[in-house]
Coordinates of all heavy atoms in Angstrom, one line a residue:
T17 N 1.2 13.4 -2.1 CA 1.7 12.0 -2.0 C 1.5 11.3 -3.3 O 0.6 11.6 -4.0 CB 1.1 11.2 -0.8 OG1 1.8 10.0 -0.6 CG2 -0.4 10.9 -1.1
E18 N 2.4 10.3 -3.5 CA 2.2 9.4 -4.6 C 2.3 8.0 -4.1 O 2.4 7.0 -4.9 CB 3.3 9.7 -5.7 CG 3.1 11.0 -6.4 CD 4.1 11.3 -7.4 OE1 4.8 10.4 -7.9 OE2 4.2 12.5 -7.8
D19 N 2.3 7.8 -2.8 CA 2.4 6.5 -2.1 C 1.6 6.5 -0.9 O 2.0 6.7 0.2 CB 3.9 6.2 -1.8 CG 4.1 4.7 -1.3 OD1 3.1 3.9 -1.4 OD2 5.2 4.4 -0.9
F20 N 0.2 6.3 -1.1 CA -0.8 6.3 0.0 C -1.0 4.9 0.4 O -1.4 4.1 -0.4 CB -2.0 7.0 -0.5 CG -3.1 7.3 0.5 CD1 -2.8 7.8 1.7 CD2 -4.4 7.2 0.1 CE1 -3.8 8.1 2.6 CE2 -5.4 7.5 1.0 CZ -5.1 8.0 2.3
Q21 N -0.8 4.6 1.7 CA -0.8 3.2 2.2 C -1.8 3.0 3.4 O -2.0 4.0 4.2 CB 0.6 2.7 2.6 CG 1.5 2.7 1.4 CD 2.8 1.9 1.7 OE1 3.0 1.3 2.8 NE2 3.7 2.0 0.8
F22 N -2.3 1.8 3.5 CA -3.2 1.4 4.6 C -2.4 0.7 5.7 O -1.4 0.0 5.4 CB -4.3 0.5 4.1 CG -3.9 -0.8 3.4 CD1 -3.5 -1.9 4.2 CD2 -3.8 -0.9 2.1 CE1 -3.1 -3.0 3.6 CE2 -3.4 -2.0 1.5 CZ -3.0 -3.1 2.2
E23 N -2.9 0.8 6.9 CA -2.5 0.0 8.1 C -3.7 -0.3 8.9 O -4.2 0.6 9.5 CB -1.4 0.8 8.9 CG -0.1 1.1 8.1 CD 0.9 1.9 9.0 OE1 0.7 1.9 10.2 OE2 1.8 2.4 8.4
L24 N -4.1 -1.5 9.0 CA -5.2 -1.9 9.9 C -4.8 -1.9 11.3 O -3.8 -2.4 11.7 CB -5.7 -3.3 9.5 CG -6.8 -3.9 10.4 CD1 -8.1 -3.2 10.1 CD2 -6.9 -5.4 10.1
E25 N -5.7 -1.3 12.2 CA -5.4 -1.3 13.6 C -6.6 -1.4 14.5 O -7.7 -1.0 14.1 CB -4.7 0.1 13.9 CG -3.5 0.3 13.0 CD -2.5 1.4 13.5 OE1 -2.7 1.9 14.6 OE2 -1.6 1.7 12.7
L26 N -6.4 -1.9 15.7 CA -7.4 -1.8 16.8 C -7.4 -0.4 17.3 O -6.3 0.2 17.4 CB -7.1 -2.8 17.9 CG -7.9 -2.7 19.2 CD1 -9.3 -3.1 18.9 CD2 -7.3 -3.5 20.3
V27 N -8.5 0.2 17.5 CA -8.6 1.5 18.1 C -9.2 1.4 19.5 O -10.2 0.8 19.7 CB -9.6 2.4 17.2 CG1 -9.7 3.8 17.8 CG2 -9.0 2.5 15.8
I28 N -8.6 2.1 20.4 CA -9.0 2.2 21.8 C -9.6 3.6 22.0 O -9.0 4.6 21.8 CB -7.9 2.0 22.8 CG1 -7.1 0.7 22.6 CG2 -8.4 2.1 24.3 CD1 -5.7 0.7 23.3
A29 N -10.9 3.6 22.4 CA -11.6 4.9 22.7 C -11.5 5.1 24.2 O -12.0 4.3 25.0 CB -13.0 4.9 22.2
I30 N -10.9 6.2 24.6 CA -10.7 6.6 26.0 C -12.0 7.2 26.6 O -12.6 8.1 25.9 CB -9.5 7.5 26.2 CG1 -8.2 6.8 25.8 CG2 -9.4 8.0 27.7 CD1 -7.9 5.6 26.6
G31 N -12.4 6.7 27.7 CA -13.6 7.3 28.4 C -13.4 8.1 29.6 O -14.2 8.9 30.0
R32 N -12.2 7.9 30.2 CA -11.8 8.8 31.3 C -10.3 8.8 31.4 O -9.6 7.9 30.9 CB -12.4 8.3 32.6 CG -12.0 7.0 33.2 CD -12.6 6.7 34.5 NE -12.0 5.6 35.2 CZ -10.9 5.6 35.9 NH1 -10.2 6.7 36.1 NH2 -10.4 4.5 36.4
T33 N -9.7 9.8 32.1 CA -8.3 9.8 32.2 C -7.7 8.6 32.9 O -8.3 8.2 34.0 CB -7.9 11.1 33.0 OG1 -8.4 12.2 32.2 CG2 -6.4 11.2 33.1
P34 N -6.8 7.9 32.3 CA -6.3 6.6 32.9 C -5.6 6.8 34.3 O -4.9 7.8 34.5 CB -5.3 6.1 31.9 CG -5.6 6.9 30.7 CD -6.1 8.2 31.1
D35 N -5.7 5.8 35.1 CA -5.0 5.7 36.4 C -3.6 5.2 36.0 O -3.4 4.4 35.1 CB -5.7 4.6 37.2 CG -5.1 4.5 38.6 OD1 -3.9 4.3 38.7 OD2 -5.9 4.6 39.6
P36 N -2.5 5.7 36.6 CA -1.2 5.3 36.2 C -0.9 3.9 36.6 O 0.1 3.3 36.2 CB -0.3 6.3 37.0 CG -1.1 6.9 38.1 CD -2.5 6.8 37.6

Side-chain angles (χ1 to χ4, degrees):
T17 192
E18 294 179 18
D19 189 6
F20 190 37
Q21 295 193 7
F22 60 81
E23 298 181 13
L24 175 68
E25 305 194 11
L26 171 67
V27 177
I28 305 166
I30 297 297
R32 67 176 190 84
T33 300
D35 186 307

